[in-house]
Amino acid sequence: MKKISNALLAAARGLWLAIFGMATSILLFVLTVLSIAFTLLGIGLFTTPVAVGALRAHASLRRRQAKAWTGVEIPEPYRPLPARRPGLAGQVERCAALLKDPATWRDLLWLLVDATAGTVLALLAPALVLYLPWGIVLALGVWEPIDRAGGGLWFTFVHITDQSTANLAAALGVVWGVVGAFVARPLLRTDFLLAKQLLAPGPATARELELARRVDRLTESRHDAVDGSAAELRRIERDLHDGAQARLVAMGMSLGTIEALIEKDPARAKKLVAAARADSAEALTELRDLVRGIHPPVLAERGLGDALRALALRMPLPVEVDVELAGRAEEPVEAAAYFAVSELLTNAAKHSGARQVWLDVHHADGMLRIAVTDDGRGGAAAPADGRGGAGRPAGSGLAGIERRIGTLDGVLAVSSPVGGPTLITMEIPCTVR
């Protein structure tokens, strides 16, 4: 029963596409062509953007229908438009950008195809289905007044002249109805696949769009890298000012006091020496922590694998580490991977409620692949989701990690259903030497 209802629904959708689609395609084709032609007269500068906007809205509706009704995905091929500027110059610039976009002309060609071949494909199945009730109606006696008025009626290839031929038409109508229901969904899918040939980006356009997306990503990554470097410098300056620098200043003052008291009050001078020694030890510890935060010595000396193993030992929960690296990656890649893993392990320890974490690092096919898995409560959100998940505010550490590895053209993926487990994977292009 469900298959029958789905087939009838596909036929109804085909009928809707045949009627509404053909009428809309013809109307939009005429309006768009006239607007483009009137561009030479100046009128088209104002009407063409409106007509092309309506054309693109119609094409976008067909893309959404293709995906929702048959699962056919048709990506948009449009180039980004320039920022709207006021005045005639801005109108001319926008109109020129629309006319220079190859997708505009492919959309126009699609309107012609949709109004002809597309309409035939969409209409065929509902026409066959409608033969079923029409054949039954004729067999119930409607054929007689039609025959008397017009001298006979053809039902596909059956000429109805009496009740027996009318009954034959009813039987043939059942056959056509079954055939129509059987081919309704394939024909609808074929119609959308035909539209995809023109509505999807062409090879050259696809390369241009991919290049534009890559340029945008690299531009954004560059800005993130500059902002991140500035923030890192401010953090280092703040840590030095509030930590080691303050202790070194205190040590200098203490040494001055000791110099004045060493002969007058040796006992107090001795206490100040002990305090200065303690301050020097704390300053040294803070400097080491600061250096570790900039670039851990173990990472510089022994590489990413040993640095991650040492990091795992400092975590408050057990971390099982599996590292397979045939050599050393570039320093920026190692540093980005190290701090990204450090952030992920810290997040897991603070927010996930996990009892165990697994860290897998290996290099293959020119990519450094890192996977961090925990058995916690889950609910972590990818940065683009805009939600924080269980105990994590939106825009927390994951967004920073994505920005950090994004500067190296890396990608981050999050799988964290509520209830767990959480799996976060990173891929960074690099070579190992």
Side-chain angles (χ1 to χ4, degrees):
M1 191 66 183
K2 185 176 180 180
K3 290 184 177 180
I4 295 176
S5 62
N6 289 338
L8 294 177
L9 179 60
R13 286 169 171 170
L15 182 61
W16 187 88
L17 286 180
I19 298 173
F20 175 80
M22 180 177 65
T24 306
S25 293
I26 293 174
L27 178 63
L28 286 175
F29 181 82
V30 173
L31 291 177
T32 306
V33 170
L34 288 176
S35 293
I36 294 174
F38 288 152
T39 302
L40 299 176
L41 303 177
I43 302 174
L45 294 176
F46 302 93
T47 59
T48 297
V50 177
V52 174
L55 168 57
R56 292 187 173 186
H58 179 52
S60 297
L61 174 62
R62 188 61 58 90
R63 292 186 182 93
R64 293 194 298 271
Q65 290 168 342
K67 184 175 181 179
W69 292 356
T70 60
V72 175
E73 294 193 13
I74 307 177
E76 289 196 352
Y78 307 121
R79 294 175 178 174
L81 294 175
R84 185 183 293 274
R85 292 194 301 163
L88 182 60
Q91 195 69 28
V92 172
E93 185 181 40
R94 190 172 186 84
C95 185
L98 289 170
L99 295 180
K100 289 179 181 179
D101 192 344
T104 300
W105 304 100
R106 289 172 66 88
D107 284 355
L108 269 176
L109 181 59
W110 166 72
L111 291 179
L112 289 178
V113 174
D114 184 61
T116 53
T119 299
V120 172
L121 285 171
L123 189 59
L124 184 57
L128 291 175
V129 171
L130 290 174
Y131 266 119
L132 192 154
W134 177 232
I136 295 175
V137 168
L138 290 176
L140 291 176
V142 176
W143 69 271
E144 292 188 60
I146 297 177
D147 182 63
R148 286 195 297 268
L153 173 69
W154 285 92
F155 187 89
T156 60
F157 54 82
V158 175
H159 189 205
I160 302 175
T161 56
D162 52 28
Q163 187 61 45
S164 62
T165 53
N167 293 336
L168 179 60
L172 184 59
V174 173
V175 173
W176 287 137
V178 172
V179 172
F182 183 75
V183 300
R185 186 170 176 81
L187 285 175
L188 187 64
R189 182 177 176 83
T190 302
D191 184 21
F192 287 131
L193 290 174
L194 177 64
K196 183 177 182 179
Q197 300 304 310
L198 293 171
L199 293 182
T205 305
R207 287 194 295 270
E208 289 179 6
L209 292 174
E210 179 61 28
L211 180 60
R213 282 193 292 267
R214 185 171 178 82
V215 169
D216 290 341
R217 176 176 172 81
L218 290 176
T219 302
E220 183 180 356
S221 298
R222 184 188 64 187
H223 290 320
D224 288 340
V226 172
D227 293 342
S229 298
E232 188 71 9
L233 288 174
R234 288 193 298 270
R235 181 188 70 82
I236 293 170
E237 182 181 8
R238 184 179 62 251
D239 290 348
L240 285 173
H241 182 272
D242 297 341
Q245 180 178 331
R247 294 192 182 280
L248 290 174
V249 170
M251 284 174 56
M253 295 174 64
S254 297
L255 290 174
T257 305
I258 292 169
E259 186 178 7
L261 294 175
I262 195 167
E263 294 181 357
K264 299 178 181 179
D265 193 349
R268 187 180 174 191
K270 187 176 181 180
K271 291 180 180 179
L272 290 176
V273 168
R277 185 186 300 112
D279 285 340
S280 68
E282 291 182 5
L284 182 60
T285 301
E286 290 179 356
L287 286 173
R288 285 174 176 170
D289 292 339
L290 182 62
V291 170
R292 188 180 295 113
I294 299 172
H295 195 82
V298 66
L299 180 62
E301 296 170 3
R302 303 180 60 182
L304 181 61
D306 288 339
L308 292 178
R309 292 186 184 95
L311 176 65
L313 293 175
R314 297 199 302 269
M315 288 294 111
L317 73 168
V319 180
E320 183 177 320
V321 182
D322 182 12
V323 179
E324 293 183 9
L325 297 175
R328 297 284 302 268
E330 300 91 337
E331 285 189 11
V333 173
E334 287 190 338
Y338 176 87
F339 287 112
V341 172
S342 176
E343 180 72 23
L344 291 177
L345 294 180
T346 302
N347 281 352
K350 289 183 178 179
H351 306 296
S352 70
R355 293 172 296 179
Q356 176 75 41
V357 178
W358 293 266
L359 172 61
D360 178 73
V361 183
H362 67 280
H363 182 271
D365 303 323
M367 294 289 244
L368 177 65
R369 294 185 172 91
I370 302 172
V372 179
T373 309
D374 68 62
D375 59 356
R377 66 176 67 94
D385 292 347
R387 57 185 178 84
R392 303 180 193 180
S396 60
L398 292 178
I401 293 171
E402 187 177 52
R403 287 194 298 270
R404 181 185 289 272
I405 66 174
T407 60
L408 301 170
D409 210 15
V411 295
L412 177 139
V414 180
S415 173
S416 182
V418 176
T422 294
L423 170 62
I424 300 176
T425 58
M426 295 176 287
E427 289 189 352
I428 306 174
C430 73
T431 55
V432 172
R433 58 186 187 281

